[in-house]
Amino acid sequence: MVDFSRFYTRWSLLIGVLIVIYLLPIWLFPYFPTQDGVSHVYNSQILTEYNNPQYQFQDYYEINWYPFPNWLSHFSLAVLMFVFPPLIAEKVFLSLYVILFPLAIYYFLNAVERGRHALVIFSFTFIYNYLFLMGFYNFAVSVPLFLLALGYWWKHKEQMNRRRIILLNLLIIVTYFAHLISYAFILFSIALLALWHFRRDFKRILITGCYLLPAAFLLLVYLPTSDLLAGEPPEFRLARVGELFANLIGMHVLISYTDPPSWLSVTVSAFLIFLGVVTIWQNRREKTAVHTGQKTFLCLVGVLFGLYFILPNSIGPGGWVNDRIAILATLALFAWFREFDKLKWKRLFTAAVTLLTLINIVYVGVLFRNLNAEIGEFNAFVERVGKNKVILPLHFDPRGSSKRVGIFVNAANYYCLDNGCINLGNYEIQFDYFPVRFNADFETPLEEKEWVQMVHWQPEKIDLCDYADNVDYLLLWDTPDKPVVAEGIEACYTLIASEGKLKLFRGKR
């Protein structure tokens, strides 16, 4: 609050208006079109209503109370659902993320060097990024938490007292409960910055490591029980460098409902390159020592981008590693950027990035309107599904007009909100970093650990007739691409409703 009291009124007003505008796509439409988002909402409602006798959640599910990452969104949504309906609770949670994102950028940048307000405005183009639109809510929230923790440490690194050490550890712990990657990289980043900044003072380096131990201890608690250490070790290969470089230059981590991403992503990339050129030019022109924060953070960003190019896309059950690092590294790069010193050029640049952020959100709004119409078609039979029923969803058009985000992959969860239904396509139950899992005695359609993946992507492996007694409704989206699936549905399920690509069947008993 002290920082914001010093914030120029015109800048605070502009950023405040942009925050309100960036909240509009969340509130103007009934659905937030993601792949995994509605799955998090459904499983959070299971937490909220687990002991509700009107539902049969206890007969099917058990709760995993282990302190693993990914708790933050589920816990927050579950608490919000004591007050709001599920889809409104989701909107409230997403609104908190949209508000926090630019404020975290502002705090982070001013912790390094004050006065770069146009960069805060430019950061709005990163709010609706690919991973957020995929519905990775925990990682999305972990990004501003990462920046807050990193900025807080940098700001107070020279004078860390007991209160600041406690607050820093709390920030890192909250980041842990948001997402493991951001948590691991905040510890890694602080350690690397400390080594560089205090490189002539071993005692300060040792002290920094010691006061980070309470937060770092969570990693030792989680890893021994995690699937991350199971199976084959990750392969570190350089064969994908070309592809990763193209993705980075094209800013594929931004709005990605299209494939390849829209011209807006390329424009953002051009602005980033332009800022890099301006920064180098101004540093050379002034012939003065580079700001300490600039130089140190440039080294950090160089290491992060190096990891982006060599790490695999998946480690254990966790995926999209490269995209996650790309977002963290790109936003950390903002600490190195400089703006124009001359007022007229600074105003021109501010006007340009403001226009870009407005075009960006209009583009998001148009996409949301179109995708909401498609999701509305998918949800045409929600009212026809009875309470406490078991649903088997089969989708053969997972994306619709959304080319990189599968808006229909987990859309069957819409049919399970507020009615206690059990979704056999609930992918979260197969991973150890989500709070809900099926009971040990639950009869699964396949004897495989990740059988839900087969429901989504290889339904031909399921004996639909043999499992029909366990299914109340079969929800079909588009035409089956395997004859064995179509034959099993026709033989053992009765069509009760049909509209366009959507068909609702009842199991023959």
Side-chain angles (χ1 to χ4, degrees), residues 36-49 61 63 74 77-78 81 413 417 423 425-429 434-437:
D36 292 356
V38 67
S39 181
H40 302 329
V41 175
Y42 168 62
N43 285 283
S44 298
Q45 189 177 43
I46 294 173
L47 297 177
T48 305
E49 304 290 352
Y61 294 116
I63 308 301
H74 289 78
L77 286 167
M81 285 181 207
N413 289 295
L417 297 178
N423 179 18
N426 186 2
Y427 85 95
E428 292 188 19
I429 58 95
F434 288 118
V436 175
R437 58 182 60 171

Side-chain angles (χ1 to χ4, degrees), residues 369-388:
R369 182 195 62 185
N370 298 337
L371 296 178
N372 263 257
E374 295 183 41
I375 296 174
E377 294 175 9
F378 184 94
N379 291 337
F381 301 147
V382 166
E383 300 298 328
R384 303 194 61 164
V385 172
K387 190 175 182 179
N388 293 327

Side-chain angles (χ1 to χ4, degrees), residues 281-428:
W281 176 71
Q282 291 203 144
N283 287 340
R284 291 177 62 87
R285 180 176 63 88
E286 294 175 4
K287 296 181 180 180
T288 56
V290 178
H291 189 277
T292 304
Q294 274 191 303
K295 189 174 182 180
T296 307
F297 275 93
L298 184 61
C299 294
L300 170 64
V301 170
V303 174
L304 292 180
F305 277 124
L307 293 173
Y308 164 79
F309 283 111
I310 65 173
L311 285 176
N313 193 46
S314 298
I315 299 178
W320 288 269
V321 173
N322 305 113
D323 289 326
R324 300 179 201 272
I325 298 175
I327 291 177
L328 296 177
T330 303
L331 292 175
L333 183 62
F334 278 43
W336 175 66
F337 288 147
R338 292 185 62 178
E339 296 180 12
F340 290 100
D341 293 331
K342 292 186 177 180
L343 184 59
K344 67 175 183 178
W345 290 109
K346 189 170 185 177
R347 287 177 175 174
L348 183 62
F349 178 73
T350 302
V353 293
T354 303
L355 179 61
L356 179 63
T357 59
L358 292 174
I359 294 173
N360 182 71
I361 199 60
V362 170
Y363 180 67
V364 170
V366 172
L367 290 174
F368 274 33
R369 182 195 62 185
N370 298 337
L371 296 178
N372 263 257
E374 295 183 41
I375 296 174
E377 294 175 9
F378 184 94
N379 291 337
F381 301 147
V382 166
E383 300 298 328
R384 303 194 61 164
V385 172
K387 190 175 182 179
N388 293 327
K389 302 299 182 180
V390 178
I391 297 176
L392 175 61
L394 302 179
H395 56 73
F396 298 93
D397 176 23
R399 295 179 176 85
S401 63
S402 171
K403 301 306 180 183
R404 292 185 69 199
V405 176
I407 59 174
F408 300 126
V409 172
N410 293 298
N413 289 295
Y414 287 113
Y415 282 75
C416 299
L417 297 178
D418 287 330
N419 63 9
C421 284
I422 306 301
N423 179 18
L424 295 177
N426 186 2
Y427 85 95
E428 292 188 19

Side-chain angles (χ1 to χ4, degrees), residues 157-190:
K157 60 186 180 299
E158 304 289 351
Q159 297 175 323
M160 291 295 291
N161 54 35
R162 182 184 302 175
R163 181 180 62 84
R164 289 170 177 169
I165 289 173
I166 292 173
L167 185 54
L168 175 63
N169 276 272
L170 287 176
L171 275 172
I172 298 174
I173 289 170
V174 173
T175 306
Y176 166 85
F177 283 107
H179 201 273
L180 183 64
I181 285 184
S182 296
Y183 162 79
F185 274 99
I186 188 59
L187 291 173
F188 174 80
S189 299
I190 292 177

